[in-house]
Amino acid sequence: QVQLVESGGGLVQPGGSLRLSCAASGFTLDDYAIGWFRQAPGKGREGVICLTRGDGRTYYADSVKGRFTISRDNTKNTVYLQMDSLKSEDTAVYYCAAAPNRISIWYSEYEYDYWGQGTQVTVSS
């Protein structure tokens, strides 16, 4: 059974850091492009960052460039989202997603076939 499970969300103060994990089962993450998306209350789902398969290129939303990084641990079949210098506007439910094919528009949720259930990140003092 194909499954993605996110963890690591929580409450953090502005300027703080969190690391989210996305663990895969039923398939090998290294064969897929992995994206992280987020959805704030009353807003649509937004692409945050993507790590492609093969060449391992990374794409970022402008709003997180220089603050968020993505990495992959193939031994654990897990992808991580490191979030630093967090701001209140980063508050959202964060989702990881996997795309088996070469993606054209990394921030389009329609490119991705598998999704996790989401983890809440709240940035507040």
Side-chain angles (χ1 to χ4, degrees):
Q1 181 182 1
V2 172
Q3 194 173 19
L4 289 171
V5 178
E6 302 97 335
S7 61
L11 174 64
V12 62
Q13 292 186 342
S17 298
L18 275 178
R19 189 178 78 159
L20 306 183
S21 300
C22 173
S25 59
F27 68 104
T28 302
L29 270 181
D30 196 32
D31 294 335
Y32 291 72
I34 303 299
W36 283 93
F37 289 74
R38 65 187 180 187
Q39 188 166 19
K43 296 187 177 182
R45 196 169 291 188
E46 171 193 23
V48 174
I49 195 168
C50 172
L51 178 63
T52 61
R53 56 181 287 194
D55 60 3
R57 190 170 298 183
T58 304
Y59 297 93
Y60 303 86
D62 288 343
S63 58
V64 306
K65 201 170 293 184
R67 301 188 298 121
F68 289 14
T69 56
I70 187 172
S71 61
R72 193 196 302 260
D73 185 338
N74 293 333
T75 64
K76 297 181 179 179
N77 210 27
T78 299
V79 170
Y80 302 99
L81 176 64
Q82 178 67 40
M83 305 186 294
D84 299 320
S85 302
L86 282 162
K87 306 175 182 180
S88 57
E89 51 263 45
D90 295 318
T91 295
V93 177
Y94 283 72
Y95 301 87
C96 66
N101 303 309
R102 181 180 296 274
I103 56 176
S104 300
I105 305 174
W106 71 267
Y107 49 85
S108 172
E109 58 187 297
Y110 301 106
E111 297 271 8
Y112 299 84
D113 288 357
Y114 307 128
W115 290 82
Q117 82 290 349
T119 185
Q120 176 70 47
V121 171
T122 303
V123 185
S124 175
S125 55

